[in-house]
Amino acid sequence: MPFNTALTRALGIQIPVVQGGMHWVGYAELAAATNIALHVTALTQPTPDDLRKEIRKCRSLTNKPFGVNITLLPSLMPPDYGAYVQAIIDEGVKIVETAGNNPGLVIKPLKEANIIVIHKCTTIRHAKNAVKLGADFLSIDGFECGGHVGEDDLTNFILLSRARQALGVPFIASGGFADGHGLAAALALGAEGINMGTRFMCTVEAPIHIKVKEAIVAAQETDTALVMRRWKNTTRLYANKVAKEALKVETESTTGKFEEIAPLVSGKRGQQVFIQGDVDSGVWTAGQVIGLIHDIPTCADLLVRIEREALASMKRTGSMWVDESYTSRL
């Protein structure tokens, strides 16, 4: 086993890579295909009972460790998070990734059930709060990521180093990772592994239309847009026609009412993109890492490649140290 990190030890995995929760993407088929089947995404399921079925489906497809993502987002009519958490507990899930606002609502009952909690956050301030609430790992989410990037615009090079300096619990790196070179860099900065979302979208097993995957392969790192900053709910999206239209309305509106762009950023429209393959018919999230993605491998092939690249990268940097006697003179 080439890797021995706090993440591999705690989760019982061989490669310190996890698949992040992704709305309309994180279903059982993709979760079961990854190194650690993280994560079935809870809110892709319309009800807690549907989540129970999806967890059971995932269990039937893999004997690997797997978990569930549950994200708390601002909403006028929030889902019954307590019922989703209870479904997770009842089904014997051992790993949960939490994200979003006020995670104490879900972390407390999860910890009471002895579940490993990985909380995703975009600032050290939020990470420290999650530690107080009992999170076992922090997933440090840099500004490069797709989806909700936070409002502080902190890239991973700084954010991970701050996490190393300031946090008393292990953390993994999220946002901007697609290969083994990134994994080696994250480990060097103090992380115990990496979390990938957009990269896993562009795999054979990802349950989204091939045209979306082809759009990711064709994209450059500059092909994303930040939308909804005006309402402090900044989201990084693939810069298609609808995202650009939403951004134009947002910046030019004199009323500042979210209702003006709500139809454009509808999650249901985004879901249809993944089903029908018209990449310009709705908004969908993607990180800047799209510029690093050039193929559509199976999850198994991708993970073998990441392992090989990471080990080669660490061997290369190790070879740069040429004077072994130097340490005795320090």
Side-chain angles (χ1 to χ4, degrees):
M1 184 181 298
F3 293 100
N4 180 20
T5 74
L7 186 72
T8 61
R9 294 192 298 272
L11 304 189
I13 59 176
Q14 294 187 345
I15 305 172
V17 176
V18 300
Q19 171 225 315
M22 293 176 282
H23 209 42
W24 312 126
V25 181
Y27 294 98
E29 291 83 359
L30 178 60
T34 56
N35 166 54
I36 172 173
L38 258 157
H39 298 92
V40 173
T41 304
L43 298 186
T44 58
Q45 304 302 318
T47 70
D49 283 340
D50 289 306
L51 176 59
R52 294 175 191 274
K53 294 174 184 176
E54 195 71 8
I55 292 169
R56 292 170 189 173
K57 182 178 181 180
C58 190
R59 187 170 285 121
S60 74
L61 295 172
T62 183
N63 58 4
K64 299 174 184 176
F66 73 93
V68 174
N69 163 278
I70 185 163
T71 300
L72 293 84
L73 295 174
S75 173
L76 295 176
M77 297 181 63
D80 187 348
Y81 291 114
Y84 278 96
V85 168
Q86 193 59 52
I88 291 168
I89 294 170
D90 291 345
E91 292 302 318
V93 173
K94 299 301 182 185
I95 308 157
V96 170
E97 178 190 70
T98 60
N101 299 328
N102 301 319
L105 174 70
V106 297
I107 290 179
K108 186 175 186 292
L110 292 171
K111 291 309 303 172
E112 289 174 350
N114 295 315
I115 292 172
I116 295 173
V117 173
I118 305 171
H119 182 68
K120 183 179 286 188
C121 42
T122 59
T123 69
I124 300 302
R125 181 179 73 258
H126 293 148
K128 288 181 176 180
N129 288 337
V131 171
K132 292 177 182 177
L133 292 169
D136 300 283
F137 286 84
L138 283 307
S139 182
I140 303 301
D141 216 6
F143 183 59
E144 305 93 328
C145 72
H148 297 277
V149 301
E151 307 303 319
D152 294 274
D153 301 358
L154 298 171
T155 61
N156 260 322
F157 206 85
I158 299 300
L159 199 54
L160 294 176
S161 290
R162 282 291 294 121
R164 183 186 68 249
Q165 292 174 346
L167 300 181
V169 301
F171 61 92
I172 62 177
S174 178
F177 295 96
D179 57 30
H181 305 290
L183 171 58
L187 295 176
L189 288 170
E192 302 290 338
I194 60 173
N195 177 312
M196 301 193 308
T198 306
R199 173 67 269 197
F200 277 122
M201 287 174 62
C202 203
T203 57
V204 170
E205 294 90 348
I208 59 179
H209 201 282
I210 184 61
K211 289 185 178 179
V212 178
K213 301 175 189 182
E214 290 171 347
I216 293 173
V217 169
Q220 302 296 312
E221 60 273 17
T222 51
D223 291 334
T224 67
L226 294 173
V227 181
M228 296 189 284
R229 170 138 289 185
R230 188 168 187 168
W231 299 281
K232 298 191 181 300
N233 190 25
T234 307
T235 304
R236 188 180 298 281
L237 304 171
Y238 175 73
N240 62 8
K241 293 178 181 178
V242 182
K244 291 176 182 177
E245 183 181 354
L247 185 58
K248 185 174 186 293
V249 172
E250 177 180 349
T251 55
E252 295 181 358
S253 170
T254 57
T255 67
K257 292 183 178 179
F258 177 74
E259 289 79 358
E260 293 184 59
I261 71 162
L264 297 171
V265 297
S266 163
K268 289 294 184 182
R269 287 181 63 173
Q271 182 185 22
Q272 290 305 305
V273 170
F274 292 156
I275 295 171
Q276 298 175 2
D278 182 352
V279 298
D280 282 312
S281 63
V283 298
W284 48 283
T285 61
Q288 292 179 322
V289 75
I290 56 175
L292 304 180
I293 298 171
H294 307 299
D295 63 354
I296 309 171
T298 65
C299 288
D301 287 345
L302 174 62
L303 289 164
V304 167
R305 183 198 305 169
I306 287 173
E307 179 182 46
R308 183 176 64 247
E309 289 173 344
L311 295 176
S313 182
M314 289 186 287
K315 183 177 180 180
R316 173 180 173 273
T317 54
S319 70
M320 294 177 181
W321 182 256
V322 295
D323 185 358
E324 295 181 359
S325 67
Y326 180 73
T327 55
S328 65
R329 303 197 298 271
L330 293 179

